[in-house]
Amino acid sequence: MRTKEDFAELLRRLHLGPQEQAERLSFLQWSAEDAQRLAAMAGAMDPAQQAFVDQLYDHLQNFATPAALLQSPQTIERLKHSQGSYYQDLWRGQFDEEYVNGRLRIGMIHQQVGLELKWYLGAYRLYLDRMLGELFTGHPQHQLYASLLKAVFFDISLALDTYSAAQHRALEDSEARFARALRGANDGLWDWHVEQDRLYVSERWASMLGISREAIGDASQGWFSRVHPDDLPGLRQAIEAHLQGRTALLHHEYRMRKRDGDYAWVLVRGVAEASGPDQQRMAGSQTDISARKSAEQHLQHAARHDPLTGLANRMRLDEQLQQALLRQGKVGAREAALLFVDLDRFKLINDSLGHAVGDRVLVEVAQRLKACLRPGDELFRFGGDEFVVLLDDLACAGDAERVAQRILDGLHHPLHLDERTLVVNASIGIAPLQERGKPLDALQAADLALYRAKAAGKAQFARYSEELQRAAQHHLDMESAMGQALDNGELELHYQPICQLQQGQVQLAGVEALLRWRSGERLISPLEFIPALEESGEIVRVGDWVLQQACRQVRAWQLAGQSQLRCSVNISSRQLQQASFIPRLIDILQDSGLPPASLILEITESQLMEDTAQTLVSLRELASLGVRLALDDFGTGYCSLGYLKRFPLHILKVDKSFIGGTPADGELSAISRAIIGLGHSLGLEVVAEGVERDAQLDFVRHEGCHYAQGYWFSKPLPGAELQALLGRPGAFAGAVAALPEVFARSSSTLPRSRVQQ
Ligand code: C2E
Ligand code: MG
Ligand code: MG
């Protein structure tokens, strides 16, 4: 029992202010004379009162309920004593604040010990009866008035009962309404006296956890001890923030331990209210939100995982990377690295075997990748055929390379899908999360390294380095500088003769237009800038310009006498993919007047493979125009021989890397021989590229190559220089022009070209 606090609360509830007290006394017609009258008799009444107190306690013993409360003689003595002093006070007639509080306190204690009002009131009647006897003994109406008192007191007790029953009923109604509403809301209720740490929770509050209210107890410990340890600080903070007025409402989600040891997610809502100076009281509801939480978690999972492979996705990678970087920032952290894994030529599988097979391959690859990792490593599907591995806690940087190698080995085993057997390879870029103690954009760095691994021939890994970064930067700079090159007139075309080899004769048959970039003093090779042009897409505009220039130039030479001169122009697959390419080519041919049959479009083997369906359509259309098509750099691009038949090709250009090895290198000679033979058997014209030396010319001629190109004849020259060469007296007489002196002799007797060394 907390009498002091309860009494304070009782006072607050009663609103028994001075005005109310005055009004009551006035209704009773209480006056100063009354007080004087009583006080004057107080002493004289004392013995009778004392006698009455004894009589009262004897009387009470006759009734079971009060008798039960009055068992110890000491209690009875104490009560009698205070009862006696009370009567003395009553006769003093001083109804001040102290008096009123004293009465209220006694009333409250009686109520708390369980003494019903009827005994309490009844005692007053007995007292009045006794006082009546004392004052009016022998008066004829004494008995009558005593009877009236009994009747009135009986009624008083009835009136009190009706009042309190009605109040009770209203309270019960409101409680029942409240209870029904709560059952509907299915929320638990709580009420917490913060300073006194007195907690009340409803049945429902406890049953959410599968326990009874008793198990919670009546202190906050019963609540907080069930909160998930990870959530407890957050809950306490939320409560504190609200108690300090920093939040308008307590609204917090956290987990609570259930009877079976599992945790339920709950939402607590509540408001605080000052119940007195330094007295805070908070109350509110608690809702079981486990179902919602699990749906949310499900969604969260779905947003962060790839449905096909079940792996975490890019979103999750971003989060995990952030965390890994934070860990890296701590002292003593071990190395961490990112592997960017990209399948080689996966598009081919998708295009040729369909997406369903492609999907199965991805699922299998995901399994294999997982099998290559340690428990702490994390695997993500980045998108398409790209996977990322986050390697945390590495003993040394070299470990990442070991994992990469393990992945390459693991993937390399043939993959059996139904009756089909596939070999899937991947390229991997490796980057540390930090470089020299500074965080790196590891994803970008690993991507860069991946690019490098691909460029170096695929099915391998490459590690990020600053040098790679510099090269990429250079590439980027090149790209932006190239953007202006065409408009600034910095591009020019050089032309390299292509000669026909016929019975000991070499004759000029055509020229290949080769692009040059004059940047300041430097003349930059297309090998350096073509990739940048292709990546930026600028190749489309530049290629258009090349085509136009070359057609015009060769047509001019044709008109000047080289009527059979053919014009070879390199094109990129990006150009072929443009729907406008063919109409534009027709325009150029018409404008320049060059016959379509004089134009040879060269496309490299690797580019031909890039977008086969679309490329095939364009090439067929080109062929139908009468334009000739050459497969450039043949032998370097893994072209499957089946493809050669599918494309409408006329010319095969044997790459200079093979010809350069002839005839000394037996292997390269054998490959060159085989390629030339292949071209022949497919009915294609064969051009040998990169003929530099007599022995090479002898070799290709001996193998029956129709055409050759290389420094032996001439380096690529600016148009004007080549023109000067062509314009030598007697150089272009006849239908098929004999070459100028330098070209016109049989190669075996011919000294090396003096035209350009
Ligand atoms: P490509 O089409 O195979 O051109 C032949 C390359 O071999 C030229 O290099 C040429 O200078 C070089 N070459 C010719 N004879 C010899 C020789 O005897 N020895 C050696 N070592 N090299 C020889 P270039 O001009 O540097 O061009 C490189 C590549 O750039 C070309 O290879 C072609 O694929 C590409 N390219 C050039 N111009 C264009 C263009 O306008 N558009 C496109 N898309 N690509 C172009
Ligand atoms: Mg070429
Ligand atoms: Mg070539």
Side-chain angles (χ1 to χ4, degrees), residues 242-429:
H242 180 60
L243 285 175
Q244 291 175 357
R246 281 182 278 127
T247 52
L249 257 185
L250 167 67
H251 188 283
H252 192 75
E253 296 178 359
Y254 64 100
R255 284 163 294 174
M256 283 198 83
R257 198 177 62 253
K258 295 196 288 186
R259 185 200 171 114
D260 58 11
D262 279 356
Y263 281 89
W265 270 102
V266 294
L267 163 67
V268 63
R269 280 180 282 215
V271 273
E273 172 182 292
S275 59
D278 294 330
Q279 295 287 311
Q280 297 243 60
R281 189 166 169 168
M282 263 178 120
S285 65
Q286 183 147 289
T287 316
D288 188 342
I289 55 165
S290 302
R292 193 196 87 204
K293 275 284 173 187
S294 108
E296 272 175 17
Q297 277 162 0
H298 192 77
L299 278 178
Q300 277 240 351
H301 184 90
R304 283 164 179 72
H305 288 81
D306 160 46
L308 178 66
T309 58
L311 296 180
N313 64 13
R314 201 167 168 161
M315 193 188 229
R316 176 119 181 102
L317 169 64
D318 286 343
E319 293 168 356
Q320 297 296 91
L321 252 180
Q322 293 293 333
Q323 292 191 3
L325 269 174
L326 285 180
R327 285 197 294 275
Q328 284 284 291
K330 296 200 174 124
V331 259
R334 304 226 291 175
E335 296 251 357
L338 211 64
L339 305 188
F340 209 127
V341 184
D342 185 293
L343 301 187
D344 295 334
R345 290 148 55 81
F346 179 70
K347 188 169 163 17
L348 205 63
I349 295 183
N350 255 347
D351 286 353
S352 52
L353 303 177
H355 281 88
V357 175
D359 282 356
R360 288 174 62 191
V361 170
L362 288 173
V363 171
E364 175 65 25
V365 165
Q367 297 293 342
R368 290 193 183 186
L369 290 175
K370 240 191 269 176
C372 296
L373 303 179
R374 305 169 306 168
D377 302 335
E378 288 187 83
L379 176 63
F380 306 84
R381 180 166 176 214
F382 194 72
D385 61 344
E386 296 165 330
F387 297 85
V388 170
V389 181
L390 177 58
L391 300 170
D392 216 345
D393 201 27
L394 294 170
C396 67
D399 278 357
E401 287 172 26
R402 269 186 281 281
V403 178
Q405 189 56 52
R406 209 157 60 222
I407 290 177
L408 291 178
D409 296 343
L411 283 183
H412 192 65
H413 294 294
L415 206 142
H416 304 288
L417 292 179
D418 305 331
E419 309 90 69
R420 226 176 254 118
T421 301
L422 297 172
V423 176
V424 180
N425 280 319
S427 303
I428 303 177

Side-chain angles (χ1 to χ4, degrees), residues 91-137:
W91 280 87
R92 284 221 325 274
Q94 294 301 314
F95 303 147
D96 51 11
E97 192 185 345
E98 193 187 335
Y99 177 87
V100 172
N101 285 352
R103 292 323 303 151
L104 294 176
R105 188 174 282 114
I106 298 289
M108 187 186 78
I109 292 170
H110 281 147
Q111 187 267 335
Q112 283 180 348
V113 300
L115 186 75
E116 284 167 83
L117 194 59
K118 59 184 181 188
W119 313 115
Y120 199 61
L121 272 181
Y124 277 110
R125 208 281 311 164
L126 291 172
Y127 173 69
L128 284 178
D129 189 60
R130 180 62 199 263
M131 292 304 107
L132 190 68
E134 194 62 34
L135 294 171
F136 303 104
T137 325

